[in-house]
Amino acid sequence: MIKIEAIVRPERIGAVVDAMDAAGCGGYNYVNVTGRGKQQGIEVFTGRGASTTRRMALPKVLITTVIEDSKKEAVIAAIVAAARSGDEGNIGDGKIFVSHVAEVVRVRTGERDGDAL
Amino acid sequence: MIKIEAIVRPERIGAVVDAMDAAGCGGYNYVNVTGRGKQQGIEVFTGRGASTTRRMALPKVLITTVIEDSKKEAVIAAIVAAARSGDEGNIGDGKIFVSHVAEVVRVRTGERDGDAL
Amino acid sequence: MIKIEAIVRPERIGAVVDAMDAAGCGGYNYVNVTGRGKQQGIEVFTGRGASTTRRMALPKVLITTVIEDSKKEAVIAAIVAAARSGDEGNIGDGKIFVSHVAEVVRVRTGERDGDAL
Amino acid sequence: MAEANIAWMLVASALVLLMTPGLAFFYGGLVREKNVISTLMYSFVSLGVVSVVWVLWGYSLAFSGGNEFIGTFNALGLKGISFESGPDGAVPEAMIVIFQMMFAIITPALITGAFAERFKFSTYLVFLVVWITIVYVPIAHWVWYTDGMEGGISGWIYGIGAADFAGGTVVHINAGIAAIVAAAMVGRRRSIDKGIEPHNVPFVLLGAGLLWFGWFGFNAGSGLAADGVAINAFLVTNTAAAVAGLVWVIAEYQQAGKMSGVGFATGAVAGLVAITPASGSVGVMGSIGVGLGAGIITYLAVRMRHLLKVDDALEVFAVHGMGGIWGALATGIFAVGGLGMIDGEFGLFWANLRATLATIAYSGVMTIIILKALDVIPGLGLRAVEREEDNGLDVSFHGERAYVSDGAD
Amino acid sequence: MAEANIAWMLVASALVLLMTPGLAFFYGGLVREKNVISTLMYSFVSLGVVSVVWVLWGYSLAFSGGNEFIGTFNALGLKGISFESGPDGAVPEAMIVIFQMMFAIITPALITGAFAERFKFSTYLVFLVVWITIVYVPIAHWVWYTDGMEGGISGWIYGIGAADFAGGTVVHINAGIAAIVAAAMVGRRRSIDKGIEPHNVPFVLLGAGLLWFGWFGFNAGSGLAADGVAINAFLVTNTAAAVAGLVWVIAEYQQAGKMSGVGFATGAVAGLVAITPASGSVGVMGSIGVGLGAGIITYLAVRMRHLLKVDDALEVFAVHGMGGIWGALATGIFAVGGLGMIDGEFGLFWANLRATLATIAYSGVMTIIILKALDVIPGLGLRAVEREEDNGLDVSFHGERAYVSDGAD
Amino acid sequence: MAEANIAWMLVASALVLLMTPGLAFFYGGLVREKNVISTLMYSFVSLGVVSVVWVLWGYSLAFSGGNEFIGTFNALGLKGISFESGPDGAVPEAMIVIFQMMFAIITPALITGAFAERFKFSTYLVFLVVWITIVYVPIAHWVWYTDGMEGGISGWIYGIGAADFAGGTVVHINAGIAAIVAAAMVGRRRSIDKGIEPHNVPFVLLGAGLLWFGWFGFNAGSGLAADGVAINAFLVTNTAAAVAGLVWVIAEYQQAGKMSGVGFATGAVAGLVAITPASGSVGVMGSIGVGLGAGIITYLAVRMRHLLKVDDALEVFAVHGMGGIWGALATGIFAVGGLGMIDGEFGLFWANLRATLATIAYSGVMTIIILKALDVIPGLGLRAVEREEDNGLDVSFHGERAYVSDGAD
Ligand SMILES: Nc1ncnc2c1ncn2[C@@H]1O[C@H](COP(=O)(O)OP(=O)(O)O)[C@@H](O)[C@H]1O
Ligand SMILES: Nc1ncnc2c1ncn2[C@@H]1O[C@H](COP(=O)(O)OP(=O)(O)O)[C@@H](O)[C@H]1O
Ligand SMILES: Nc1ncnc2c1ncn2[C@@H]1O[C@H](COP(=O)(O)OP(=O)(O)O)[C@@H](O)[C@H]1O
């Protein structure tokens, strides 16, 4: 089994999870993170309005799903399609990381691995 | 060393960490996530009360602990026992993912791996 | 490629990400977690002031960065130096976990692996 | 006696002022996290802009002489306004300037619920100045201006005998109509198809609580005296709010088996809206009728609005527009002679109907014209661009994030 | 003069109304995140239900004639209530209807702290109607009703010469006793063994601030006039709150080396509770005594309550019950003749003790009976089922989540 | 008439009281999450401590007889204070005790913005007692005390003809100077170099809303009567706040293309500060001038303060110090004779300048002395130790965390 971790824009989360559903993900979880990549950050005020600062790290959402190896490319393609903003994509659209998972357990039943997904 | 990531119901977090302590976990960390698996979601109001929508993803807690390989089964058993709701377990009780960790460093001392746990 | 996950004190996050930048990290993301290791926790009031309890788990920040293998030691050294509190370090300063990442995809371009970092 | 009335009206004015922050939180809680400062600021900045407009020319144009349709420039900068009490305990005109100012402040703030989460903030500042001057001020003149003399001059709606005790037409119908028009012109929010949950329900209830509290100033202050009329207005205001709030949660319970905090708050505000024009002329039993009707009508109006494509984000039309229209007509239905205020109920009903229609027509048409103009003027424009909307108006227009945690945030 | 009193009483009534939202936030901040809307709504919906009950039959049963024990149905729907001021500046009866209504609204809301996080919301609505009618109304009649005539009729507690200026027995002891009884009957919350931290301390302080502010209406309004008695009530109210708040944080500092925000807020509320019955009859030095006693007694009461198995979640019994009992007795101890209100202090002490015991007995017994009945009536029942409680009452009963972030939440 | 004035002053006092919770939220929203309870408590506990100091000895020392420089101990514990109204509707002295108390409560709370996020809470309690007694009380005596008799005794600043209607010197300049001095002595916060974002902007706006609301009591109550002077004060207060708030957001827009919520709130408060001494003597056009000046001056003052090494965390000096100084001088510039209050404007300017300089000197020097003393007294000390500051003052001094989520938090 593999774990796919995708970091996407917060406003894309709805579209991304729908695409993942369609691509056959049995489950997922997501969390708000603060992240920084090539994106330039945003200007924010600090110190009661009289000065601004560049906040480099921006709000993103990290979605994690564990799937069977066979679904990997389908899920990646689904996420990429749904997470891209505009036609060309923009800096800050996100990254996807894939890693191996050794075992999965379903708490309810104690089932393991493939059966637990 | 292995990393155990367990997704459980928020109200179970106290019981689960106690069970992990008892099973010999030296440390852990947890974070609130929003997740969706086989559970059906809940009805919530949207748009000022006049219509409801089904919120598919629900609040869960993701607990992460890195342990020596030898403790794996004990810790999994402890989590499963503590996280299950009711006698039979219910949909939404959670999942456990196990993966490999290559190295561990303790910031305070710079110790590595087994010593750092 | 490898993934470095560092758990540090919240007040250190600024220093740590600066050090990571300097050590050549191309991106990172972080999230607030609640964690417990060897640190003793803190006293908090509970039940309307008349009694206190020891809250074992404390606020920490989990920073995650995916880098090329070659940068591993530089980044770890940078994090350790920036995250340590006081000269000697203190209990609760944090832990670093290193694991393998199989693949990376950049959402914007679809580039993979090294090119995507 | 004048001193007692002044004492009460100072407080009533302060209470109405507090309604604008109250509204800010009511609305602010209903939007998404990334737009809460923007939503709060739509209301707060009205405290800034309209206060200034009012003392410079707004009050003068609305309330200093003139003809049936508009006042004069005689009291620009409040020149010549008296601080002396009149006969029979009448409060000084300056007191009325203040009290009326608070109504002018909150009215455009009400509208903002319709175009929340997407209206461009700098354009909104211009909108405030223009809309107050050419929409609000004339309607206020029509409904409330009178020189008090036998055969003297008064606004034309006042002249036909319509009764709007505390601002059902001037404030609520006016704002409700402007709201639906604005929502249509500004267009739907991006990505609202899944339904947006309020980001902070406690703020909604905080706002509702402050509105309920402040509304006692709004209605019980509108007689400009601390007397039996004020007491009656206070009582019926509270009763209508209570009834309409209950109607909403009962309706929700019928429909979905739940009773939401947002629903109770919305219903209570709808009751407050509906009782506003009626609070000087209905009794406590009448106010139960007003509240029942307000609850049912606005609940259905919200449900029907959901069928439209118009994205009146916070249901301003349903609550203030429909609630206000119901209130104006209900005033005719439930008014009682007992308090020595109103006699002919049937005439009142028709007068109020005419007042309502006139307000709808004028507010609707003028708001369209204003927004069209603002849309085409270079450098203005009504709507945030896509990226600004996606990132949230807080960051885009205000350079702030509402909530920042330590560590990650 | 009547106008001045009306001016003040309109405001005082609005201030007391605001206490209910204030209480909502005070309580709402103390519970867990998943139950905050539920806790807010217990208070807010009382604004809805009790307002209606009060104007329909509550006021009539409590204050329109009758015998020593209960009023009549003569003023159902407020029939015949006067809006005219009485002699010597007495405010119109309608003003008293309003002011008293606000007390009736907040009393059951106070109780809800005891069974927060687990009481079934739909049953609570029924409880409100029943409890106000058969517990609150009679006690209010006993303590406050008088026809004002020499040898005329008055409530029996009034008759024995007990002094409850602003509602120590009727509101606080009554609510405190009902609270502990209800907590015992509803049972302990699931999984409270590790101790529950308040989910939003700023809300607790916001609520405490609004309560402190509103309490000036509660106490200084209870003389129904803007006079020296009101000024004294205002002064002693503030002083007792200040002293009791300080006692709490000092006690915490002794015990744990910290001074908590929740502790200060709780202590201040305890001081406000205790001064309530006394605020018409003690001077400023006496109020320091009342505040000191209130701080110490309620602090110890909370500690002792922790030893019990009864899960009075937000310490309503300790703060309002014990604080109220202390206040009733302290009124006898610290009352001064100087303000021309009270003479015989010893007689007062005994009268207040009898009033306290009667309130405890009646409120306790009747609340048990009511809850037992609600528990067994099919379709009602007191408590959320396990799953509802685990998921949180907000989602289970209100279909809402209090806080929703953008992206994940 | 006295009753009407009492009615108003009871409310005005309650309004000013509410400003302290308002300030708490204004400040509390501006700090980091880990210090919000601490910041709230600096204000709330002043309600506790100063209320007690004031009734025990503060009022007596400030307002009961004495000489040009200080009062007496004659009214310790408010002994002999009258609850009877005076001639011509003058409110009872006890009413003034209360109203003045509210000013004494908020003044040290204002200072806390300077040393927020690092001042030791237990030392702060001692600071409150000492600072009120030896800094606030004398200045209040100088500026406001008069025995009212021809050739009688009054405070020396009152004697030279300075006009501080509602506390520009006593409250704002005093607090602003103490603030900058305290910030310098306590030292900079650890790790502020990246700029700290406010953790909760809605709280900042909530606080600003409550301050604006309460300030009507502060200024319009300062004439101690419900009359034309109060109406004027109300009007100019609102106008100055509106103008200065707008100046801030416009300035920000020029500079950064954004208009922040914190900026509007800060500007509005600056306008309220500046109009405070002037509100009894300027008209509405003058108040626009006062507001414009206040906005510009405080905006520049904040920018300049950023160049200093002094970490006046929440800009108390810039807003209250500079805003207050501008207000004192502007009173001389914009005062009008029309309201029958002030004649010689030039003399007034110089008198106010002297008053300002005296306040600066006395407040600055005495605050330094007090803080030095507190720093060296064993067991006290001004500042949290490193670990306490890093963990946040909420956990370190109050044993609480502001926000606790279910599950992880
Ligand atoms: N090497 C990395 N490790 C961890 N997270 C990363 C890494 N690079 C990017 N991210 C996350 O992905 C988000 C988007 O990355 P960004 O570089 O802006 O996109 P792009 O590569 O398309 O320009 C960042 O905000 C950050 O949260
Ligand atoms: N494949 C998965 N990848 C990531 N998270 C998952 C996955 N499946 C389930 N989860 C998480 O686990 C939680 C519980 O899963 P659920 O399917 O409801 O339990 P069960 O399998 O017992 O029915 C979900 O809410 C989600 O957060
Ligand atoms: N085995 C572990 N697995 C996951 N997280 C851990 C583990 N050990 C420690 N942590 C995290 O690291 C933080 C710091 O650990 P701690 O034990 O206090 O430091 P130290 O080892 O230097 O004493 C903890 O609060 C927790 O969040």
Side-chain angles (χ1 to χ4, degrees):
Chain A
M1 294 140 301
I2 57 167
K3 182 205 280 181
I4 298 206
E5 292 171 298
I7 297 180
V8 302
R9 296 181 184 280
E11 65 264 21
R12 289 281 152 186
I13 183 72
V16 171
V17 300
D18 286 351
M20 285 167 61
D21 266 349
C25 274
Y28 50 79
N29 64 78
Y30 50 90
V31 61
N32 288 336
V33 303
T34 308
R36 169 156 142 50
K38 297 219 163 13
Q39 199 178 0
Q40 262 231 311
I42 47 163
E43 286 272 316
V44 291
F45 281 103
T46 179
R48 279 221 142 153
S51 59
T52 57
T53 191
R54 181 158 289 277
R55 156 171 288 275
M56 295 307 296
L58 294 179
K60 301 280 169 190
V61 177
L62 168 66
I63 317 176
T64 304
T65 182
V66 175
I67 51 174
E68 278 130 41
D69 299 36
S70 61
K71 294 186 177 157
K72 191 185 78 176
E73 288 305 324
V75 171
I76 288 178
I79 294 173
V80 167
R84 210 175 265 173
S85 67
D87 285 349
E88 307 276 278
N90 285 290
I91 287 185
D93 278 354
K95 295 249 161 96
I96 301 173
F97 305 119
V98 182
S99 52
H100 292 289
V101 167
E103 250 171 90
V104 180
V105 184
R106 166 172 284 135
V107 167
R108 170 163 52 102
T109 56
E111 286 161 292
R112 298 253 167 157
D113 300 342
D115 298 337
L117 278 182
Chain B
M1 292 141 302
I2 57 167
K3 183 205 278 183
I4 299 207
E5 292 171 297
I7 299 181
V8 300
R9 297 181 184 280
E11 66 264 23
R12 289 280 153 185
I13 181 71
V16 171
V17 299
D18 286 351
M20 285 166 63
D21 267 349
C25 276
Y28 50 79
N29 64 77
Y30 51 90
V31 60
N32 288 334
V33 302
T34 308
R36 166 153 146 52
K38 298 217 163 18
Q39 200 176 1
Q40 262 230 309
I42 46 164
E43 286 272 316
V44 290
F45 281 102
T46 178
R48 274 208 141 166
S51 60
T52 57
T53 190
R54 180 159 290 279
R55 156 169 288 276
M56 296 306 296
L58 295 180
K60 301 280 168 188
V61 178
L62 167 64
I63 318 176
T64 305
T65 182
V66 176
I67 51 173
E68 280 131 41
D69 300 35
S70 61
K71 293 186 178 158
K72 192 185 76 173
E73 289 303 325
V75 170
I76 289 179
I79 294 174
V80 167
R84 209 174 267 172
S85 68
D87 284 350
E88 306 276 280
N90 285 291
I91 288 186
D93 279 354
K95 294 249 163 95
I96 301 173
F97 305 118
V98 183
S99 52
H100 291 288
V101 168
E103 247 170 272
V104 180
V105 184
R106 166 172 283 137
V107 168
R108 170 163 52 103
T109 55
E111 286 160 292
R112 298 253 166 157
D113 300 341
D115 298 339
L117 279 183
Chain C
M1 292 140 306
I2 56 167
K3 181 205 280 182
I4 299 208
E5 293 171 297
I7 297 180
V8 302
R9 295 180 184 280
E11 67 263 23
R12 289 281 151 185
I13 182 73
V16 171
V17 299
D18 287 351
M20 285 166 61
D21 267 349
C25 276
Y28 49 78
N29 65 76
Y30 51 88
V31 61
N32 288 335
V33 301
T34 308
R36 165 152 145 52
K38 297 218 165 15
Q39 200 176 358
Q40 263 231 308
I42 47 165
E43 285 272 317
V44 291
F45 281 102
T46 179
R48 276 208 138 167
S51 59
T52 57
T53 190
R54 180 158 291 278
R55 158 170 284 275
M56 294 308 294
L58 294 179
K60 302 280 169 188
V61 178
L62 167 65
I63 317 176
T64 304
T65 183
V66 174
I67 52 175
E68 279 131 42
D69 299 35
S70 61
K71 292 186 179 158
K72 190 186 79 175
E73 288 303 324
V75 170
I76 288 178
I79 293 173
V80 167
R84 207 175 268 173
S85 68
D87 285 349
E88 307 274 281
N90 284 292
I91 288 186
D93 279 354
K95 294 247 164 96
I96 301 174
F97 304 119
V98 183
S99 52
H100 292 288
V101 167
E103 249 171 273
V104 180
V105 184
R106 164 172 284 137
V107 168
R108 169 163 53 102
T109 56
E111 286 161 293
R112 298 252 167 158
D113 299 343
D115 298 337
L117 279 182
Chain D
M1 188 168 149
E3 287 82 4
N5 293 339
I6 293 174
W8 166 234
M9 292 308 299
L10 288 168
V11 184
S13 302
L15 288 173
V16 184
L17 181 124
L18 189 65
M19 289 175 68
T20 297
L23 180 72
F25 277 84
F26 185 62
Y27 280 178
L30 288 168
V31 300
R32 283 167 295 178
E33 202 177 23
K34 63 184 177 182
N35 296 317
V36 53
I37 295 173
S38 157
T39 304
L40 292 168
M41 279 292 278
Y42 288 142
S43 288
F44 270 87
V45 90
S46 180
L47 284 168
V49 173
V50 180
S51 291
V52 175
V53 168
W54 195 251
V55 300
L56 288 183
W57 68 81
Y59 178 80
S60 182
L61 266 178
F63 289 105
S64 76
N67 55 30
E68 279 183 275
F69 300 107
I70 192 71
T72 71
F73 289 112
N74 293 342
L76 283 193
L78 302 186
K79 193 157 53 72
I81 297 296
S82 166
F83 287 78
E84 302 292 321
S85 302
D88 290 329
V91 296
E93 188 175 1
M95 190 71 251
I96 300 173
V97 172
I98 293 174
F99 189 63
Q100 283 288 349
M101 175 165 63
M102 302 310 173
F103 286 62
I105 289 169
I106 199 170
T107 306
L110 290 171
I111 302 172
T112 63
F115 52 58
E117 305 204 292
R118 58 205 192 279
F119 204 85
K120 193 171 160 185
F121 194 72
S122 50
T123 303
Y124 172 67
L125 296 184
V126 181
F127 173 78
L128 272 176
V129 175
V130 177
W131 193 86
I132 280 292
T133 307
I134 69 185
V135 182
Y136 182 86
V137 154
I139 297 181
H141 182 83
W142 302 349
V143 175
W144 283 326
Y145 178 70
T146 176
D147 62 6
M149 280 179 267
E150 192 76 43
I153 295 164
S154 49
W156 75 267
I157 291 184
Y158 189 98
I160 63 172
D164 179 2
F165 188 66
T169 46
V170 184
V171 175
H172 295 290
I173 300 180
N174 190 0
I177 297 301
I180 194 83
V181 162
M185 292 182 67
V186 175
R188 290 163 66 78
R189 285 167 290 173
R190 287 163 55 75
S191 67
I192 55 159
D193 298 325
K194 296 221 159 185
I196 287 170
E197 289 176 74
H199 94 285
N200 196 318
V201 176
F203 278 178
V204 176
L205 286 166
L206 175 64
L210 292 178
L211 283 170
W212 193 318
F213 176 62
W215 223 294
F216 292 126
F218 203 89
N219 287 358
S222 282
L224 304 173
D227 57 11
V229 176
I231 296 174
N232 184 65
F234 194 115
L235 184 61
V236 298
T237 298
N238 189 71
T239 307
V243 170
L246 291 179
V247 169
W248 261 71
V249 289
I250 291 167
E252 288 181 342
Y253 194 71
Q254 290 305 325
Q255 188 191 321
K258 315 239 149 129
M259 303 188 176
S260 75
V262 170
F264 184 74
T266 303
V269 169
L272 292 164
V273 166
I275 198 67
T276 293
S279 56
S281 45
V282 306
V284 72
M285 295 313 288
S287 71
I288 292 180
V290 172
L292 276 174
I296 294 166
I297 288 169
T298 58
Y299 190 79
L300 294 176
V302 169
R303 288 187 68 75
M304 273 153 46
R305 208 281 302 160
H306 281 230
L307 308 175
L308 300 181
K309 281 260 165 276
V310 180
D311 181 19
D312 179 357
L314 310 182
E315 311 292 359
V316 185
F317 173 70
V319 174
H320 296 273
M322 292 304 295
I325 291 170
W326 160 247
L329 304 183
T331 304
I333 300 172
F334 293 104
V336 290
L339 297 165
M341 284 168 286
I342 309 286
D343 297 325
E345 300 185 17
F346 192 74
L348 180 60
F349 184 88
W350 285 112
N352 276 6
L353 185 59
R354 281 175 65 190
T356 300
L357 295 175
T359 304
I360 292 174
Y362 186 76
S363 175
V365 172
M366 293 306 292
T367 303
I368 291 176
I369 295 173
I370 293 171
L371 289 175
K372 258 272 147 348
L374 296 180
D375 199 12
V376 299
I377 294 176
L380 294 178
L382 302 184
R383 189 161 176 159
V385 303
E386 280 195 14
R387 167 99 330 169
E388 289 165 345
E389 190 177 340
D390 281 348
N391 286 342
L393 306 193
D394 291 0
V395 156
S396 300
F397 294 145
H398 305 282
E400 296 177 309
R401 289 178 323 127
Y403 313 107
V404 174
S405 302
D406 299 332
D409 53 71
Chain E
M1 189 167 147
E3 287 82 4
N5 292 339
I6 292 174
W8 166 234
M9 292 309 298
L10 288 169
V11 184
S13 301
L15 288 173
V16 184
L17 180 124
L18 189 64
M19 289 175 70
T20 296
L23 180 72
F25 277 85
F26 185 62
Y27 279 178
L30 287 169
V31 299
R32 282 168 294 177
E33 204 177 21
K34 64 183 175 182
N35 296 318
V36 54
I37 296 173
S38 155
T39 304
L40 291 167
M41 280 290 279
Y42 287 142
S43 289
F44 270 86
V45 91
S46 179
L47 284 168
V49 173
V50 180
S51 292
V52 175
V53 168
W54 194 251
V55 299
L56 289 183
W57 68 81
Y59 178 79
S60 181
L61 266 179
F63 288 105
S64 76
N67 54 30
E68 278 183 274
F69 300 109
I70 192 71
T72 71
F73 289 111
N74 294 342
L76 282 195
L78 302 186
K79 194 158 49 76
I81 297 296
S82 166
F83 288 77
E84 304 291 322
S85 301
D88 290 329
V91 296
E93 187 176 1
M95 191 71 252
I96 299 173
V97 172
I98 293 174
F99 189 64
Q100 283 289 348
M101 175 166 62
M102 302 310 173
F103 286 63
I105 290 168
I106 200 169
T107 306
L110 290 171
I111 303 173
T112 63
F115 51 58
E117 306 203 291
R118 60 204 191 279
F119 203 86
K120 193 171 161 186
F121 194 71
S122 51
T123 303
Y124 172 67
L125 296 183
V126 180
F127 173 78
L128 273 175
V129 175
V130 177
W131 193 86
I132 280 293
T133 306
I134 67 184
V135 182
Y136 183 85
V137 154
I139 297 181
H141 183 83
W142 301 348
V143 175
W144 283 326
Y145 179 69
T146 176
D147 62 7
M149 281 180 267
E150 192 77 44
I153 294 163
S154 48
W156 74 267
I157 291 183
Y158 189 97
I160 63 171
D164 179 1
F165 189 66
T169 44
V170 183
V171 176
H172 296 289
I173 299 180
N174 190 358
I177 296 301
I180 194 82
V181 162
M185 291 181 67
V186 176
R188 291 162 67 78
R189 284 168 290 175
R190 287 163 55 74
S191 68
I192 55 160
D193 299 325
K194 294 217 159 187
I196 288 171
E197 289 177 75
H199 94 285
N200 195 318
V201 176
F203 278 179
V204 176
L205 286 165
L206 175 63
L210 293 178
L211 283 170
W212 193 318
F213 175 61
W215 224 294
F216 292 127
F218 204 90
N219 287 358
S222 282
L224 305 173
D227 57 11
V229 174
I231 297 173
N232 184 66
F234 193 118
L235 184 61
V236 297
T237 298
N238 190 71
T239 308
V243 170
L246 292 179
V247 168
W248 262 70
V249 290
I250 291 168
E252 288 181 341
Y253 194 71
Q254 290 305 325
Q255 188 191 321
K258 315 237 148 129
M259 300 187 177
S260 75
V262 170
F264 184 73
T266 304
V269 170
L272 291 164
V273 167
I275 199 66
T276 293
S279 56
S281 45
V282 306
V284 72
M285 297 312 289
S287 72
I288 293 181
V290 173
L292 277 174
I296 294 167
I297 287 168
T298 57
Y299 190 80
L300 294 177
V302 170
R303 288 187 69 75
M304 271 153 47
R305 209 280 302 160
H306 281 229
L307 307 176
L308 299 181
K309 281 261 166 273
V310 180
D311 181 19
D312 178 357
L314 310 181
E315 311 292 359
V316 185
F317 173 70
V319 174
H320 296 274
M322 292 304 294
I325 291 170
W326 161 246
L329 304 183
T331 304
I333 301 173
F334 293 104
V336 291
L339 297 165
M341 282 169 287
I342 308 288
D343 297 322
E345 300 184 18
F346 192 74
L348 181 59
F349 184 88
W350 284 113
N352 277 5
L353 184 59
R354 280 175 64 190
T356 300
L357 294 176
T359 304
I360 293 174
Y362 186 75
S363 174
V365 171
M366 294 306 291
T367 305
I368 291 176
I369 294 173
I370 294 171
L371 289 175
K372 258 273 147 346
L374 296 180
D375 199 13
V376 298
I377 294 176
L380 295 178
L382 303 184
R383 189 162 175 160
V385 303
E386 280 196 13
R387 169 101 325 170
E388 289 165 346
E389 189 176 342
D390 282 348
N391 285 343
L393 306 193
D394 291 2
V395 156
S396 302
F397 294 145
H398 305 283
E400 296 178 308
R401 288 177 324 127
Y403 313 106
V404 174
S405 302
D406 298 333
D409 53 71
Chain F
M1 189 167 145
E3 287 81 6
N5 292 339
I6 292 174
W8 166 235
M9 293 309 298
L10 287 169
V11 184
S13 301
L15 288 172
V16 184
L17 181 124
L18 189 64
M19 291 175 68
T20 297
L23 179 72
F25 277 84
F26 186 62
Y27 279 178
L30 288 168
V31 299
R32 284 168 293 178
E33 203 177 22
K34 64 183 175 183
N35 297 316
V36 53
I37 295 173
S38 156
T39 304
L40 291 167
M41 279 292 279
Y42 287 143
S43 289
F44 270 86
V45 88
S46 179
L47 284 168
V49 173
V50 180
S51 290
V52 175
V53 168
W54 194 251
V55 299
L56 289 183
W57 68 82
Y59 179 79
S60 181
L61 266 178
F63 289 104
S64 76
N67 54 32
E68 280 184 90
F69 301 107
I70 193 71
T72 70
F73 288 112
N74 293 342
L76 283 193
L78 302 186
K79 195 156 51 76
I81 297 296
S82 165
F83 288 78
E84 303 291 322
S85 302
D88 291 329
V91 296
E93 188 175 2
M95 191 72 251
I96 300 173
V97 171
I98 293 173
F99 189 64
Q100 284 288 349
M101 175 166 61
M102 302 308 173
F103 286 62
I105 289 169
I106 199 169
T107 306
L110 290 171
I111 302 173
T112 63
F115 51 58
E117 306 203 290
R118 58 206 192 277
F119 204 85
K120 192 170 161 185
F121 194 71
S122 50
T123 303
Y124 172 67
L125 296 183
V126 181
F127 172 78
L128 274 176
V129 175
V130 178
W131 193 86
I132 281 293
T133 307
I134 69 184
V135 182
Y136 183 85
V137 155
I139 297 181
H141 182 83
W142 301 348
V143 175
W144 282 327
Y145 179 69
T146 175
D147 62 8
M149 282 180 263
E150 192 78 43
I153 294 163
S154 48
W156 74 267
I157 291 184
Y158 189 98
I160 64 173
D164 179 3
F165 189 66
T169 45
V170 183
V171 175
H172 296 290
I173 301 180
N174 189 0
I177 296 301
I180 194 84
V181 161
M185 290 180 68
V186 175
R188 291 163 67 77
R189 284 168 289 174
R190 286 163 56 77
S191 66
I192 56 160
D193 299 325
K194 295 219 159 186
I196 288 171
E197 289 177 74
H199 94 284
N200 196 317
V201 176
F203 278 177
V204 176
L205 286 166
L206 175 64
L210 293 177
L211 283 170
W212 193 318
F213 176 63
W215 223 293
F216 293 126
F218 203 90
N219 287 359
S222 282
L224 304 174
D227 57 11
V229 174
I231 296 173
N232 184 67
F234 194 116
L235 184 61
V236 298
T237 297
N238 190 71
T239 308
V243 170
L246 292 178
V247 168
W248 261 72
V249 289
I250 292 167
E252 288 181 340
Y253 195 70
Q254 291 305 324
Q255 188 192 322
K258 316 238 147 128
M259 302 187 176
S260 74
V262 170
F264 184 73
T266 304
V269 169
L272 291 164
V273 166
I275 199 67
T276 293
S279 57
S281 45
V282 306
V284 72
M285 297 311 289
S287 72
I288 294 181
V290 172
L292 277 174
I296 296 167
I297 288 168
T298 58
Y299 190 79
L300 294 177
V302 169
R303 288 187 69 74
M304 272 154 45
R305 208 280 302 161
H306 280 229
L307 307 175
L308 299 180
K309 283 260 166 275
V310 179
D311 181 18
D312 179 356
L314 310 181
E315 311 291 359
V316 184
F317 174 71
V319 174
H320 296 272
M322 292 303 295
I325 291 171
W326 160 248
L329 303 182
T331 303
I333 300 173
F334 293 103
V336 291
L339 295 165
M341 284 168 287
I342 308 286
D343 299 322
E345 300 185 17
F346 191 75
L348 181 59
F349 183 88
W350 284 113
N352 277 5
L353 184 59
R354 280 175 63 190
T356 300
L357 295 176
T359 303
I360 293 175
Y362 186 75
S363 175
V365 170
M366 293 306 293
T367 304
I368 292 176
I369 294 173
I370 293 170
L371 290 175
K372 259 273 147 352
L374 296 180
D375 200 12
V376 298
I377 294 176
L380 295 178
L382 302 184
R383 189 161 176 160
V385 302
E386 282 195 13
R387 169 101 325 171
E388 288 165 345
E389 189 177 342
D390 282 348
N391 286 343
L393 306 194
D394 291 1
V395 156
S396 301
F397 294 145
H398 305 282
E400 295 177 308
R401 287 175 327 126
Y403 313 107
V404 174
S405 303
D406 298 332
D409 52 74

